[in-house]
Amino acid sequence: MKWIIDTDPGVDDAAAIIAAEKGLDVLAWSVVHGNVDLDKALRNALFLKDLLETETPVFSGAESPLLEKRINAASVHGEDGLGDLDRPAVISRPENEHAVDMILEKSRTYPGEVGLLTLGPLTNIALALGKDRGLVERIGRVVIMGGTSTGRGNTTPVGEFNFAADPEAAAMVLRSGMEITLVPWEPTVEILFPLSELEGKLGTGKLARTFLAMCEPFAAFIEKRMGRKGIILSDLVAAAVAIDPQTLLKGANVFAAVETAGQWGRGLTAIDFAGVSGQKPNIKLCLEADRKRVLDILVEGLS
Ligand code: BDR
Ligand code: CA
């Protein structure tokens, strides 16, 4: 499988990209609004491209969600989205083609062979579906970091960030008919990584040092907000599941939909665990991930 990484970097996006560039055959990165505005997210993607010295092309995508106002997660990832480090000027340039057109084009060039690893709001994928529904048949596999498995949100009471940032797009993608593995927020919280553990494992190379420096404000935020010491690398868990499906230790094939209305319900992942909806399962839901495997995959990415 050849992969497109759809991303809104983001500290955990950075970890996922580091791992995916080593563990997957990556065709391109498509950038989307999310953790920070699109221009900052694009700059971050190009910064990571420079840092990784990779030839993978970077495409700019949607700057706003389908319907409502943009939100961001700068309080989590830093004002610049990558921990507010002093950084060199970006050298790499984005491609001219729009990310949505690139996704469609790659799916036509490699029908059935392209996987989508999505690490941000699903706006680019929803727009691609809106432009050409044939995408459903041509995409081999989709691994999504987004949503919740128990309805406990991190952005609204019931909404995980990527789904809350564009609920309509998430709803469209989940009901599209594509083969989806969903890595929700909860199993990624369970495998929090203390920075001291990461420091011990990741080594002292330039890439590892830069990544660990990015993580510091994120770790401070988690300690303040959740009273826990460590960093939650949700997108890395999704990348690990794409790289090695065995990373998913416990899963369920279920019907799931995204709520787009209601005073409190918008962005909620509604999951039919009991099979009461009469709907066929449309996702494989990750309930538990292999912490050791996730960390090994990050270490491999940094080696
Ligand atoms: C998701 O939201 C973002 O802040 C992270 O990068 C991740 O994709 C976790 O809810
Ligand atoms: Ca992300």
Side-chain angles (χ1 to χ4, degrees), residues 195-240:
L195 280 190
S196 53
E197 181 185 12
L198 290 183
E199 278 156 12
K201 290 266 181 185
L202 302 187
T204 53
K206 181 180 169 213
L207 186 52
R209 277 186 284 116
T210 309
F211 173 67
L212 285 165
M214 272 179 212
C215 291
E216 279 172 25
F218 194 176
F221 174 87
I222 290 168
E223 186 163 7
K224 195 165 158 214
R225 167 76 73 89
M226 300 170 76
R228 296 181 69 181
K229 274 196 186 308
I231 181 159
I232 299 165
L233 296 172
S234 306
D235 292 338
L236 173 66
V237 182

Side-chain angles (χ1 to χ4, degrees), residues 8 12-13 35 119-120 162 235:
D8 61 335
D12 59 332
D13 299 73
N35 284 319
L119 312 174
N162 290 339
D235 292 338

Side-chain angles (χ1 to χ4, degrees), residues 158 163-164 166-168 170-171 174 256-270:
V158 300
F163 280 20
D166 195 344
E168 282 73 21
L174 256 58
V258 181
E259 188 55 80
T260 54
Q263 186 184 356
W264 297 104
R266 209 171 132 70
L268 167 78
T269 319

Side-chain angles (χ1 to χ4, degrees), residues 1-20:
M1 193 76 69
K2 302 171 195 307
W3 292 83
I4 296 170
I5 307 177
D6 193 68
T7 177
D8 61 335
V11 175
D12 59 332
D13 299 73
I17 288 169
I18 290 167

Side-chain angles (χ1 to χ4, degrees), residues 160-176:
E160 176 279 334
F161 180 80
N162 290 339
F163 280 20
D166 195 344
E168 282 73 21
M172 271 180 76
V173 173
L174 256 58
R175 66 170 179 249
S176 66

